[in-house]
Amino acid sequence: IQNLLDGGCDMMVTVGFLLAEATSAAAEANPDVNFAIIDDNSIDADNVQPITFDTAQAAFLAGYAAAASSQTGTIATWGGVNIPPVTIFMDGFVLGAQYYNEQNGADVQVLGWDVEAQDGTFVGAFEAGPAANATATTFLQQGADIVMPVGGPIFLSAGEAIRTAQAENPDGRYGMIGVDADLSQTAPDYADLFVTSVLKGMDAGVEAVVLEDAAGDFTNEPYVGTLENDGVGIAPFNEWEDQVPEGLADELETIRTAIIAGDIVVDSPSSP
């Protein structure tokens, strides 16, 4: 941040909940510089605009899709670190699966996260490695056939674990839910594993905030990405198109419309 300030930047976007303290200090020390911060709304300053995303809404759709597509009746989610930008995905995923059960008289189990207790499984870091692989392997061994790892590259370890499970059980069918971007496009080596991805429209949010600043209309009013403003969403089924239940896309569109209308409320404690 200081390097950018020294370079004369008068609009800066910092990325991530963990940069809140540094961003707040810089904003206080530089009141003539405008800041925006992604995935944090804890800073109350005239020159800081939060850019947040109600990803629970989109993850709700993904959880429903995972539950509908599971052959074993067990799915799982876990995170890198227990912080709101991670747990908001996990909340939506579990709530979506629960909604699937309610609507279809099913009993799909979700491992790894308890919404009410706000407690679950975390590997302690945002990196691929033995801990992430072991966590994925454990859930697969417990019967989960569709999993959603939340936290940057930990999905790579989940992919490796699934490849191992596929080799050991050729008759099994395993899939993943990506987060943040359409990981079937950004991680093509695992494209065949992604049922869908929960999309966080960071590009749309940053563009909106930066253009407002350039036009002299900067505000500290939070930008919140939702299904309604296309700030969040889910990716196409891509290579899973022929493997998901017939009519699932239409069901998800109906649910999406109901969430936007307020007829379905996705109640995540981490929602902005």
Side-chain angles (χ1 to χ4, degrees):
I1 292 174
Q2 190 58 52
N3 285 341
L4 294 173
L5 290 169
D6 292 343
C9 292
D10 58 8
M11 170 65 192
M12 195 182 306
V13 181
T14 58
V15 184
F17 177 89
L18 298 178
L19 284 175
E21 183 176 350
T23 302
S24 179
E28 183 177 359
N30 299 274
D32 295 331
V33 176
N34 290 331
F35 293 81
I37 180 168
I38 293 175
D39 281 344
D40 178 77
N41 59 2
S42 67
I43 303 171
D44 183 14
D46 291 340
N47 60 332
V48 179
Q49 182 172 18
I51 301 176
T52 58
F53 303 89
D54 197 352
T55 40
Q57 293 185 347
F60 186 96
L61 301 177
Y64 187 99
S69 302
S70 174
Q71 293 183 323
T72 64
T74 302
I75 59 179
T77 183
W78 67 96
V81 178
N82 190 343
I83 56 176
V86 171
T87 59
I88 190 171
F89 283 94
M90 299 166 74
D91 285 341
F93 184 78
V94 172
L95 294 171
Q98 290 175 349
Y99 185 74
Y100 174 82
N101 288 339
E102 294 166 6
Q103 296 299 304
N104 295 276
D107 188 29
V108 176
Q109 301 297 306
V110 186
L111 308 177
W113 183 242
D114 184 324
V115 175
E116 186 174 345
Q118 288 291 288
D119 189 33
T121 301
F122 298 89
V123 298
F126 296 116
E127 57 188 28
N133 185 287
T135 299
T137 299
T138 296
F139 284 130
L140 294 170
Q141 291 174 342
Q142 290 174 348
D145 60 349
I146 297 178
V147 300
M148 186 179 77
V150 184
I154 65 173
F155 79 86
L156 296 170
S157 294
E160 293 173 0
I162 288 176
R163 293 289 190 227
T164 299
Q166 288 175 323
E168 295 174 349
N169 180 22
D171 295 329
R173 191 186 72 179
Y174 303 94
M176 276 197 290
I177 304 294
V179 300
D180 290 339
D182 185 348
L183 296 187
S184 70
Q185 306 301 307
T186 59
D189 289 348
Y190 297 105
D192 59 305
L193 300 184
F194 288 106
V195 182
T196 184
S197 293
V198 181
L199 306 178
K200 181 190 293 185
M202 289 181 281
D203 52 353
V206 171
E207 181 180 27
V209 169
V210 171
L211 289 178
E212 286 179 0
D213 179 69
D217 297 326
F218 181 87
T219 172
N220 66 352
E221 186 71 23
Y223 171 94
V224 180
T226 64
L227 289 175
E228 185 172 12
N229 64 15
D230 293 324
V232 298
I234 60 171
F237 296 130
N238 297 313
E239 294 189 29
W240 268 70
E241 187 70 46
D242 296 332
Q243 301 184 73
V244 300
E246 185 176 353
L248 179 58
D250 292 335
E251 291 180 53
L252 293 177
E253 181 57 30
T254 298
I255 295 169
R256 176 182 175 277
T257 300
I259 293 173
I260 292 172
D263 297 328
I264 295 176
V265 177
V266 183
D267 188 14
S268 166
S270 298
S271 292

